[in-house]
Amino acid sequence: MTSQTIIDPPEDGHFRNGLAANGLAPSPTTLSIHLSINGQTHALDIEPRVTLLDALRERLHLTGTKKGCDQGQCGACTVHVDGERVLACLTLAAQVEGRSITTIEGLADEDGTLHAVQAAFLEQDAFQCGYCTPGQIMSAVACIREGHAGSDEEIREYMAGNLCRCGAYPNIVAAVRQAAQELRS
């Protein structure tokens, strides 16, 4: 009879860099992946079930992307994958290996110049508590790029997946409209 080592997951359920929280043997299901985030490549050892949201926040400490409902209903975790908006809480990190990921931290220019949408959100006072703002901004950038910012009604429709519990919707629409006009000119 051969002996087989069984590795139980750590109490918190998270393996770190392929090791259990206690620093012992790696999980037999750990994947080594490389993620291209905001122009930088990051090597991670993760379990297959780790979402992109958890990889960003817990493993890479990119906390601009927010965890709201963790069910794909609020839009707080919106990021771009190959230029398309996705909900990071519903996307497995392993699914986006080899693809270009942009988070709110990568939206501004390297010199700190804000993206037109970020600047418009400030000018239009398009946030209150600010929790949904990163997801709103990422969705607004995609909305404009997709050509869905022609009217206030269209903006509202294509931004409907991003909820604001504070009710800053009129200012959010105004910010998207302003940024769309600036980016067109």
Short mmCIF file of all heavy atoms in Angstrom, two decimals, residues 27-31 45-51 91-95:
data_model
loop_
_atom_site.label_atom_id
_atom_site.label_comp_id
_atom_site.label_asym_id
_atom_site.label_seq_id
_atom_site.Cartn_x
_atom_site.Cartn_y
_atom_site.Cartn_z
N SER A 27 -0.71 23.44 -2.88
CA SER A 27 -1.93 22.72 -3.22
C SER A 27 -1.69 21.93 -4.51
O SER A 27 -1.03 22.41 -5.43
CB SER A 27 -3.05 23.74 -3.46
OG SER A 27 -4.12 23.14 -4.14
N PRO A 28 -2.23 20.74 -4.58
CA PRO A 28 -2.07 19.97 -5.80
C PRO A 28 -2.84 20.57 -6.97
O PRO A 28 -2.63 20.17 -8.11
CB PRO A 28 -2.63 18.59 -5.42
CG PRO A 28 -3.47 18.81 -4.22
CD PRO A 28 -2.96 20.03 -3.54
N THR A 29 -3.67 21.54 -6.72
CA THR A 29 -4.44 22.15 -7.80
C THR A 29 -3.99 23.57 -8.13
O THR A 29 -4.68 24.30 -8.80
CB THR A 29 -5.94 22.18 -7.44
OG1 THR A 29 -6.10 22.93 -6.23
CG2 THR A 29 -6.50 20.79 -7.28
N THR A 30 -2.84 23.98 -7.68
CA THR A 30 -2.35 25.33 -7.93
C THR A 30 -1.91 25.48 -9.38
O THR A 30 -1.23 24.62 -9.92
CB THR A 30 -1.18 25.66 -6.98
OG1 THR A 30 -1.66 25.60 -5.64
CG2 THR A 30 -0.64 27.05 -7.24
N LEU A 31 -2.33 26.59 -9.98
CA LEU A 31 -1.92 26.92 -11.34
C LEU A 31 -0.91 28.05 -11.29
O LEU A 31 -1.03 28.97 -10.49
CB LEU A 31 -3.13 27.42 -12.15
CG LEU A 31 -4.31 26.51 -12.35
CD1 LEU A 31 -5.43 27.28 -13.05
CD2 LEU A 31 -3.90 25.32 -13.18
N ASP A 45 0.70 32.11 -8.53
CA ASP A 45 0.34 30.71 -8.30
C ASP A 45 -0.99 30.75 -7.57
O ASP A 45 -1.07 31.23 -6.43
CB ASP A 45 1.39 30.01 -7.44
CG ASP A 45 2.71 29.83 -8.17
OD1 ASP A 45 2.67 29.60 -9.39
OD2 ASP A 45 3.77 29.94 -7.53
N ILE A 46 -2.03 30.28 -8.24
CA ILE A 46 -3.39 30.39 -7.70
C ILE A 46 -4.14 29.08 -7.87
O ILE A 46 -3.79 28.25 -8.70
CB ILE A 46 -4.18 31.52 -8.38
CG1 ILE A 46 -4.29 31.24 -9.89
CG2 ILE A 46 -3.57 32.87 -8.09
CD1 ILE A 46 -5.27 32.14 -10.59
N GLU A 47 -5.20 28.94 -7.12
CA GLU A 47 -6.12 27.83 -7.33
C GLU A 47 -6.99 28.18 -8.54
O GLU A 47 -7.24 29.36 -8.81
CB GLU A 47 -7.00 27.63 -6.10
CG GLU A 47 -6.25 27.06 -4.92
CD GLU A 47 -7.21 26.77 -3.78
OE1 GLU A 47 -7.80 27.73 -3.27
OE2 GLU A 47 -7.34 25.60 -3.44
N PRO A 48 -7.45 27.20 -9.27
CA PRO A 48 -8.26 27.46 -10.46
C PRO A 48 -9.53 28.27 -10.19
O PRO A 48 -10.02 28.96 -11.07
CB PRO A 48 -8.63 26.07 -10.97
CG PRO A 48 -7.61 25.16 -10.40
CD PRO A 48 -7.19 25.77 -9.09
N ARG A 49 -10.05 28.23 -8.98
CA ARG A 49 -11.31 28.90 -8.67
C ARG A 49 -11.14 30.38 -8.28
O ARG A 49 -12.12 31.06 -8.00
CB ARG A 49 -12.02 28.17 -7.53
CG ARG A 49 -11.23 28.23 -6.24
CD ARG A 49 -11.88 27.47 -5.14
NE ARG A 49 -11.01 27.49 -3.97
CZ ARG A 49 -11.36 27.09 -2.80
NH1 ARG A 49 -12.57 26.63 -2.62
NH2 ARG A 49 -10.51 27.14 -1.80
N VAL A 50 -9.93 30.90 -8.26
CA VAL A 50 -9.69 32.29 -7.86
C VAL A 50 -10.21 33.22 -8.96
O VAL A 50 -9.85 33.09 -10.13
CB VAL A 50 -8.19 32.55 -7.60
CG1 VAL A 50 -7.91 34.03 -7.40
CG2 VAL A 50 -7.74 31.75 -6.38
N THR A 51 -11.05 34.16 -8.55
CA THR A 51 -11.58 35.12 -9.52
C THR A 51 -10.54 36.19 -9.83
O THR A 51 -9.60 36.42 -9.06
CB THR A 51 -12.85 35.81 -8.98
OG1 THR A 51 -12.51 36.58 -7.82
CG2 THR A 51 -13.95 34.81 -8.68
N THR A 91 -15.27 36.50 -13.40
CA THR A 91 -14.24 36.05 -14.33
C THR A 91 -13.14 35.35 -13.55
O THR A 91 -12.59 35.91 -12.60
CB THR A 91 -13.64 37.26 -15.08
OG1 THR A 91 -14.70 37.98 -15.71
CG2 THR A 91 -12.63 36.83 -16.11
N LEU A 92 -12.82 34.14 -13.93
CA LEU A 92 -11.71 33.44 -13.28
C LEU A 92 -10.39 34.03 -13.77
O LEU A 92 -10.24 34.33 -14.95
CB LEU A 92 -11.76 31.94 -13.58
CG LEU A 92 -12.98 31.21 -13.03
CD1 LEU A 92 -12.97 29.75 -13.49
CD2 LEU A 92 -13.03 31.30 -11.51
N ALA A 93 -9.45 34.18 -12.86
CA ALA A 93 -8.15 34.75 -13.23
C ALA A 93 -7.49 33.92 -14.33
O ALA A 93 -6.88 34.47 -15.26
CB ALA A 93 -7.24 34.83 -12.01
N ALA A 94 -7.62 32.60 -14.26
CA ALA A 94 -7.00 31.73 -15.26
C ALA A 94 -7.58 31.95 -16.65
O ALA A 94 -6.91 31.71 -17.65
CB ALA A 94 -7.16 30.27 -14.85
N GLN A 95 -8.83 32.45 -16.74
CA GLN A 95 -9.46 32.69 -18.03
C GLN A 95 -8.83 33.84 -18.79
O GLN A 95 -8.98 33.92 -20.01
CB GLN A 95 -10.94 33.02 -17.85
CG GLN A 95 -11.82 31.88 -17.43
CD GLN A 95 -13.24 32.36 -17.22
OE1 GLN A 95 -13.52 33.10 -16.28
NE2 GLN A 95 -14.13 31.95 -18.11
#
